[in-house]
Amino acid sequence: MSKQFASHADLEEKRVSFVKLSDNAYAYTAEGDPNTGVIIGDESVMVIDTQATPAMAQDVIRRIREVTDKPIEYVVLSHYHAVRVLGASAYAPRHIIASRDTYDLIVERGEQDKASEIGRFPRLFRNVESVPAGLTWPTLTFQGAMSVWLGTLEVQLLQLGRGHTKGDTVAWLPQQKILFSGDLVEFDATPYAGDAYFGDWPQTLDRLAALDPVALVPGRGAALTTPHAVAQGLSGTRAFIADLHSAVKAGVAAGKDLTAVYRDTYASMKSKYGHWVIFDHCMPFDVTRCYDEVTAHPHPRIWTAERDIEMWKALEG
């Protein structure tokens, strides 16, 4: 392989920030590594996305304990990717909440996704032996919308449309206009789109924007703490998805195969987005998924550890 597979070259530890957005909302971020959101209610705490392993989740818990001793009763899965959910057991929550679509994805492809992502991210899955056997299963599911009341603080869990996956959920604090977007929004970080719906994603972002958030915690990248920064995060993610989709559609219309489409798309996007975190990791998966959607596969095919390697060799070998 001419490039190291996925994130195997990414071994440098990142600096963690724990940013206060309000008296109730915090963002755990780490220079483009997966983010975790924290919401502190009157009597309990909600965590949005868990980190990749229980050992890594302990650092989130340590930060939470610096600001509150309230019990962590809720874990919300913004979607199902192993790097987001396999740390859940560390929090010992009363409930793990996900959309029904996310639950269905766990049933369909949870085991394969687990093996696939552990193979892609050696640094993020350090102490992988701390992950319990099996998968992270929700104890509560919902369709469309659900409110969780942390005392007087309402947290709305909303499905605003498909994008990063079919099960994407955002957490919204309507009283404070703070949004936790999961991987529907990234900031200075490349959107992973291997399980995406390119045709839907821009409209879903428009629905997020219509909430008019004053602050937003993206899936990766720094917390966005002003309306201007929120607009930048939304527009940057939208532009990346639209540019990639447009390039792939043009290549397919010209009769090119996946390898040629990948090379052309990578070249056209490198100058604008190449400095974003995990650009080289994401692009083969993103273009492959987009090519599938534009041609013969409206729904994402399952990634396995074996398929990952086969695809990477074909496009990067």
Side-chain angles (χ1 to χ4, degrees), residues 8-301:
H8 281 217
D10 177 15
L11 300 176
E12 182 179 342
E13 291 299 320
K14 304 299 177 71
R15 180 175 57 86
V16 170
S17 298
F18 194 58
V19 179
K20 183 178 181 178
L21 304 175
S22 74
D23 287 343
N24 304 101
Y26 291 80
Y28 179 97
T29 69
E31 299 182 313
D33 278 358
N35 293 339
T36 293
V38 176
I39 300 173
I40 301 173
D42 298 337
E43 298 177 350
S44 64
V45 177
M46 174 183 285
V47 169
I48 299 121
D49 294 329
T50 75
Q51 298 294 304
T53 67
M56 296 185 72
Q58 288 300 329
D59 191 56
V60 180
I61 294 169
R62 180 176 67 82
R63 307 281 177 151
I64 293 171
R65 290 293 166 245
E66 291 174 353
V67 296
T68 182
D69 61 0
K70 296 171 184 176
I72 301 167
E73 293 197 349
Y74 300 97
V75 162
V76 174
L77 311 182
S78 68
H79 61 286
Y80 196 85
H81 279 142
V83 76
R84 296 286 177 187
V85 306
L86 292 183
S89 63
Y91 303 93
R94 183 157 60 95
H95 286 296
I96 298 174
I97 308 173
S99 68
R100 179 69 201 206
D101 288 321
T102 290
Y103 181 92
D104 291 343
L105 286 171
I106 301 171
V107 173
E108 179 188 55
R109 59 184 68 197
E111 289 287 0
Q112 295 96 324
D113 178 81
K114 180 179 180 179
S116 167
E117 292 208 27
I118 289 172
R120 295 185 203 176
F121 293 106
R123 180 175 57 81
L124 294 181
F125 281 97
R126 69 173 180 267
N127 302 116
V128 70
E129 67 279 0
S130 67
V131 176
L135 303 173
T136 300
W137 291 99
T139 60
L140 291 174
T141 61
F142 71 97
Q143 291 179 284
M146 173 183 182
S147 284
V148 178
W149 290 89
L150 303 179
T152 58
L153 182 70
E154 183 184 12
V155 183
Q156 294 180 357
L157 304 178
L158 307 172
Q159 284 187 278
L160 297 176
R162 301 183 303 190
H164 177 69
T165 72
K166 78 170 184 177
D168 294 328
T169 295
V170 303
W172 171 238
L173 300 182
Q175 296 152 312
Q176 301 177 6
K177 299 181 76 67
I178 296 172
L179 184 66
F180 298 82
S181 70
D183 282 325
L184 281 169
V185 181
E186 314 288 21
F187 185 68
D188 283 346
T190 310
Y192 173 73
D195 297 306
Y197 289 83
F198 281 84
D200 293 359
W201 200 333
Q203 290 73 32
T204 301
L205 291 172
D206 290 344
R207 296 185 191 108
L208 266 64
L211 295 171
D212 197 25
V214 300
L216 185 151
V217 181
R220 289 177 181 263
L224 308 175
T225 59
T226 67
H228 176 70
V230 171
Q232 284 185 306
L234 288 164
S235 64
T237 304
R238 186 187 291 106
F240 178 91
I241 295 302
D243 288 351
L244 194 148
H245 196 197
S246 177
V248 171
K249 286 192 293 185
V252 170
K256 297 179 180 180
D257 65 11
L258 172 59
T259 300
V261 169
Y262 173 67
R263 290 172 180 164
D264 291 350
T265 303
Y266 182 97
S268 71
M269 298 185 69
K270 175 71 173 176
S271 61
K272 186 174 180 181
Y273 304 106
H275 63 288
W276 282 5
V277 172
I278 64 169
F279 179 80
D280 283 339
H281 174 150
C282 289
M283 283 297 289
F285 295 95
D286 290 4
V287 173
T288 299
R289 167 57 196 148
C290 192
Y291 185 91
D292 274 3
E293 183 175 322
V294 170
T295 55
H297 300 279
H299 300 291
R301 291 187 287 153

